[in-house]
Amino acid sequence: MNRRTFLCGLTLGPLAAPLAVAAQQMGKVPRVGVYTSTPAGKDALGVGLRELGWIDGQNIAIDWRGAAAGEEAAQMEELARRHVDAVVLGGPLRIRAAMQATKTVPIIGIDLESDPVASGFAKSLARPATNVSGIWLDLPELAGKQLQFLREVLPAVNRVGVVWDDRVGGPQLAGAQSAARAANISLRPISVHTSAETETVVKRLLVERPQAILVLTAPVIFLNQARIADLAHESRLPSVSPFSTYPAHGGLMAYGPSFPAMWRQAASYVDRLLKGAKVGDLPIERPAKFELVINLKTARALDLTIPPSLMLRADQVIE
């Protein structure tokens, strides 16, 4: 069984060591640190925890923190000084910074860019054997599906600009390039590292005269997806991203894992850790829910017709 098959077929049994119960009986409420840049992530994790019986302020204390790109090192230094039983955070840069800050605090990561084993976050998918586990996308071929959807909307497309972060997006770009070659599409990639350079980067990309824009995943891109969607819209270019939240900001389409669902999924890791499981024994999972989201309002503004076959496959249509 290869590791992709393993991720798809993985099922987890309950782990019930009652450490959290014992801690509460002794008067100690477990504390979890959470770094997230969006209310949607915070809300989804809170819902997942409540479903599992963990109520913030009653039997668990959740220490919420914002997660601005570029501040990973400082935030993780702060983490190392705090007395938390686990930490939940997203993005490969933040996960790596957390691993450098602590070798003992369990880290639950959400990562859309990395191969967890090749990146050194885990020894294996079935048993990470480090202080990190969580949810990894690791599906670089997903970019091929996004290019396919672009071509269904724009059959003549043969030149696509790509917004990516070269620090973390290598596998995704390689997957996009492979799919583009097969479809006779030329890619024009341009990398972004900071929020401040987002507008400049996208405007530089427009010089290449793309017919559409493929937006890959990265923490800095997630934080700036609204501005990227605006710039694509202003330039009258259809755009697609793996972020399920992208069309709500005005982008044309998204195909990828449901962002809120991943944070809700992370709650099960917190639950198992607080019941006594060791983070190094918890298998890495793939996102449980994928969505195709289409912004029909944006399509009309761009004078594009969404084929009925694509509309029928959409999980969500924004009118």
Side-chain angles (χ1 to χ4, degrees), residues 33 101 136 156 186 227:
W136 261 258
S186 172
R227 186 59 188 138

Side-chain angles (χ1 to χ4, degrees), residues 25-62:
Q25 290 173 348
M26 294 185 291
K28 180 182 181 296
V29 174
R31 179 174 295 276
V32 176
V34 180
Y35 291 80
T36 177
S37 58
T38 67
K42 177 179 178 179
D43 293 345
L45 180 64
V47 168
L49 288 170
R50 286 193 297 274
E51 289 175 343
L52 294 166
W54 297 101
I55 311 299
D56 190 16
Q58 294 184 20
N59 59 355
I60 188 174
I62 303 178

Side-chain angles (χ1 to χ4, degrees), residues 63-140:
D63 192 353
W64 303 101
R65 290 286 193 277
E71 299 178 5
E72 292 85 3
Q75 288 178 335
M76 295 308 108
E77 287 174 6
E78 179 208 18
L79 165 65
R81 296 191 296 268
R82 290 157 52 207
H83 300 289
V84 294
D85 297 283
V87 62
V88 184
L89 43 77
L93 299 178
R94 187 161 285 104
I95 295 169
R96 193 170 302 285
M99 289 185 76
Q100 292 170 350
T102 176
K103 303 298 183 187
T104 57
V105 175
I107 298 165
I108 303 306
I110 298 174
D111 185 343
L112 303 185
E113 290 79 40
S114 308
D115 176 325
V117 177
S119 299
F121 295 132
K123 302 296 184 185
S124 72
L125 299 175
R127 189 174 183 275
T130 64
N131 65 323
V132 178
S133 190
I135 301 151
W136 261 258
L137 177 59
D138 188 23
L139 274 173

Side-chain angles (χ1 to χ4, degrees), residues 59 93 99 157-158 206 217 229 248 259 265 298:
N59 59 355
L93 299 178
M99 289 185 76
V157 68
N158 56 30
L206 295 177
T217 72
F259 179 78
Q265 189 176 347
T298 296

Side-chain angles (χ1 to χ4, degrees), residues 172-257:
Q172 282 188 45
L173 183 64
Q177 289 171 327
S178 176
R181 284 192 296 271
N184 198 29
I185 292 174
S186 172
L187 297 186
R188 304 288 199 276
I190 190 164
S191 178
V192 59
H193 288 177
T194 67
S195 296
E197 66 184 23
T198 300
E199 186 160 345
T200 301
V201 162
V202 175
K203 288 182 176 178
R204 281 170 49 204
L205 179 62
L206 295 177
V207 174
E208 300 286 340
R209 302 182 64 82
Q211 298 162 296
I213 295 177
L214 171 63
V215 183
L216 301 185
T217 72
V220 67
I221 293 174
F222 181 82
L223 291 172
N224 294 280
Q225 60 182 304
R227 186 59 188 138
I228 294 170
D230 284 344
L231 290 165
H233 196 281
E234 290 169 8
S235 304
R236 297 192 57 77
L237 291 175
S239 57
V240 61
S241 168
F243 291 128
S244 63
T245 49
Y246 183 68
H249 293 290
L252 178 64
M253 290 186 295
Y255 179 71

Side-chain angles (χ1 to χ4, degrees), residues 233 250-252 294-303 317-319:
H233 196 281
L252 178 64
I294 298 171
N295 189 323
L296 205 55
K297 181 179 178 181
T298 296
R300 287 193 289 263
L302 297 177
D303 295 324
V317 175
I318 298 173
E319 297 285 350

